């Protein structure tokens, strides 16, 4: 996201401040102190604000910030998460999920599907499920209610879904479409305990294209959110809004499907690169421990 922001700024005379906030619901002195970072975006000091939420726990704090900015007639652009009084720039979840499901039908000849979705009150989750249903209907495949579950996007939800479907006798399918990578990983790991390997017995897909899913074996077929484009477009929208141009309050960025091993496609990852990433991550974690 930051790379996309910097690309859009280019050589323009723009001063960019980045405030990283990692909220936690734990009411300890450490985390309460950390929340003071939300006081840094002062609308009297800034001409505009870009929000890129990675945790829904932060929504209540961000809502207070956006309200302050709007009260000062300062524009705010939110990436991926819809916030009151903020312009929106996000992934086209519908189109990306539709492309992924159609790939499973047309390339891998899947006809029996299980679907593991996120919260039913989540906009992105609803868009992904709508695309799943529309794609199946377009190919004359019936959506079975027994084969659809909605959870909370956690890895344990994937494992729990496998066991719930197993109890109902519908855990085996041509393909299991998961609304994010964590649930796909949880499902695949739980299936492996029963000796059901992916994609040999059934295919599994995720969404978000996180590093953990790419480094997993088999690597998870997923949707890349194209975060660089999100950063670029969000900055473009903010700069235009700062000049008074807010004709378009919603922008969608098209993601792209990363076809990997879990759907039966050939391996596309670089094992040596995966190993190097693990080594580098270990070094950084060790440096962080030494600093603390």
């Amino acid at each position: 996201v930051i790379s996309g922001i910097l690309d859009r700024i280019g050589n323009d005379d723009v001063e960019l401040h980045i405030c990283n906030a990692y909220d936690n619901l734990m009411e300890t002195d450490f985390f309460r102190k950390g929340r003071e970072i939300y006081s840094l975006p002062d609308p009297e000091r800034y001409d505009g604000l870009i929000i890129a939420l990675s945790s829904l726990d932060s929504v209540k704090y961000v809502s207070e910030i956006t309200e302050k900015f709007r009260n000062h007639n300062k524009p705010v652009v939110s990436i991926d998460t819809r916030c009151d009084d903020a312009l929106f720039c996000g992934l086209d979840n519908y189109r990306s999920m539709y492309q992924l499901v159609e790939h499973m039908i047309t390339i891998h000849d899947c006809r029996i599907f299980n679907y593991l979705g996120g919260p039913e009150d989540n906009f992105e989750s609803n868009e992904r499920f709508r695309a799943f249903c529309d794609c199946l209907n377009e190919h004359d495949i019936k959506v079975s209610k027994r084969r659809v579950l909605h959870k909370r996007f956690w890895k344990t939800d994937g494992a729990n879904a496998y066991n719930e479907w197993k109890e109902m006798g519908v855990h085996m399918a041509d393909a299991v479409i998961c609304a994010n990578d964590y649930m796909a990983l949880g499902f695949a790991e739980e299936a492996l305990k029963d000796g059901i390997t992916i994609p040999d017995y059934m295919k599994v897909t995720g969404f978000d294209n996180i590093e953990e899913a790419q480094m997993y074996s088999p690597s998870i077929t997923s949707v890349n959110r194209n975060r660089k484009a999100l950063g670029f477009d969000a900055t473009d929208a903010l700069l235009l809004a700062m000049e008074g141009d807010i004709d378009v309050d919603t922008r969608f960025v098209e993601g792209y499907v990363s076809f990997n091993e879990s759907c039966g496609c050939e391996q596309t990852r670089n094992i040596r690169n995966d190993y190097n990433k693990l080594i580098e991550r270990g070094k950084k974690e060790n440096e962080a421990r030494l600093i603390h």
Side-chain angles (χ1 to χ4, degrees):
V1 170
I2 294 173
S3 178
I5 291 173
L6 295 175
D7 278 359
R8 175 58 184 86
I9 290 175
N11 295 321
D12 292 346
D13 184 17
V14 175
E15 185 175 341
L16 174 68
H17 291 184
I18 300 170
C19 302
N20 285 329
Y22 301 95
D23 190 35
N24 190 297
L25 292 177
M26 293 176 62
E27 289 299 324
T28 64
D29 290 341
F30 177 83
F31 287 111
R32 280 197 294 269
K33 185 67 176 176
R35 292 181 192 130
E36 291 181 7
I37 198 167
Y38 292 108
S39 66
L40 294 182
D42 183 351
E44 294 185 357
R45 298 182 57 205
Y46 295 99
D47 298 313
L49 176 71
I50 294 175
I51 300 167
L53 287 175
S54 61
S55 168
L56 294 180
D57 296 336
S58 305
V59 169
K60 60 180 181 180
Y61 302 106
V62 171
S63 295
E64 295 174 1
I65 298 171
T66 56
E67 184 179 1
K68 290 178 182 178
F69 269 74
R70 297 304 295 166
N71 288 339
H72 283 75
N73 293 317
K74 302 290 182 67
V76 178
V77 178
S78 178
I79 295 177
D80 278 340
T81 303
R82 292 185 179 274
C83 298
D84 293 337
D85 297 322
L87 306 176
F88 175 77
C89 183
L91 173 71
D92 189 338
N93 285 267
Y94 181 92
R95 181 178 297 185
S96 299
M97 178 59 87
Y98 196 102
Q99 290 175 351
L100 187 152
V101 176
E102 190 162 55
H103 171 82
M104 303 305 296
I105 296 171
T106 60
I107 302 301
H108 297 292
D109 198 30
C110 296
R111 289 296 179 272
I112 301 174
F113 285 86
N114 283 11
Y115 185 85
L116 178 54
E120 293 183 87
D121 60 351
N122 180 274
F123 172 78
E124 288 196 315
S125 179
N126 289 336
E127 285 295 284
R128 295 170 197 177
F129 183 53
R130 185 168 68 91
F132 168 79
C133 294
D134 287 353
C135 189
L136 261 61
N137 289 332
E138 182 67 24
H139 291 272
D140 296 320
I141 301 173
K142 185 178 179 181
V143 178
S144 171
K145 292 184 178 180
R146 297 179 69 215
R147 293 181 176 273
V148 174
L149 292 173
H150 291 278
K151 300 288 186 179
R152 296 294 301 177
F153 284 138
W154 296 340
K155 194 173 182 179
T156 52
D157 290 329
N160 293 336
Y162 174 84
N163 290 315
E164 286 183 40
W165 278 322
K166 184 178 178 180
E167 290 179 5
M168 292 188 287
V170 294
H171 61 299
M172 297 300 293
D174 293 336
V176 179
I177 309 296
C178 300
N180 81 338
D181 287 345
Y182 285 116
M183 293 192 295
L185 288 169
F187 183 93
E189 290 178 356
E190 194 69 14
L192 186 60
K193 294 177 182 178
D194 279 347
I196 299 173
T197 54
I198 309 299
D200 304 311
Y201 290 90
M202 57 182 156
K203 307 176 192 311
V204 174
T205 67
F207 205 104
D208 291 335
N209 204 40
I210 64 173
E211 186 177 77
E212 184 178 350
Q214 296 306 297
M215 296 176 69
Y216 184 72
S217 183
S219 53
I220 304 297
T221 288
S222 186
V223 172
N224 189 301
R225 300 184 71 91
N226 201 358
R227 295 190 183 278
K228 188 171 183 178
L230 284 170
F232 187 99
D233 278 19
T235 307
D236 186 65
L238 182 65
L239 294 175
L240 289 173
M242 286 163 55
E243 296 174 358
D245 183 1
I246 53 173
D247 290 339
V248 179
D249 63 359
T250 298
R251 289 192 181 195
F252 285 109
V253 170
E254 186 171 351
Y256 54 90
V257 182
S258 177
F259 302 111
N260 287 317
E261 300 163 323
S262 70
C263 76
C265 286
E266 293 183 3
Q267 178 175 307
T268 59
R269 63 180 180 170
N270 185 316
I271 301 297
R272 180 179 293 276
N273 189 49
D274 288 351
Y275 178 74
N276 288 336
K277 284 184 178 180
L278 286 173
I279 297 298
E280 289 301 315
R281 180 187 295 173
K283 288 180 180 178
K284 290 179 180 179
E285 290 176 352
N286 187 52
E287 289 173 359
R289 283 194 294 268
L290 290 173
I291 291 173
H292 289 302

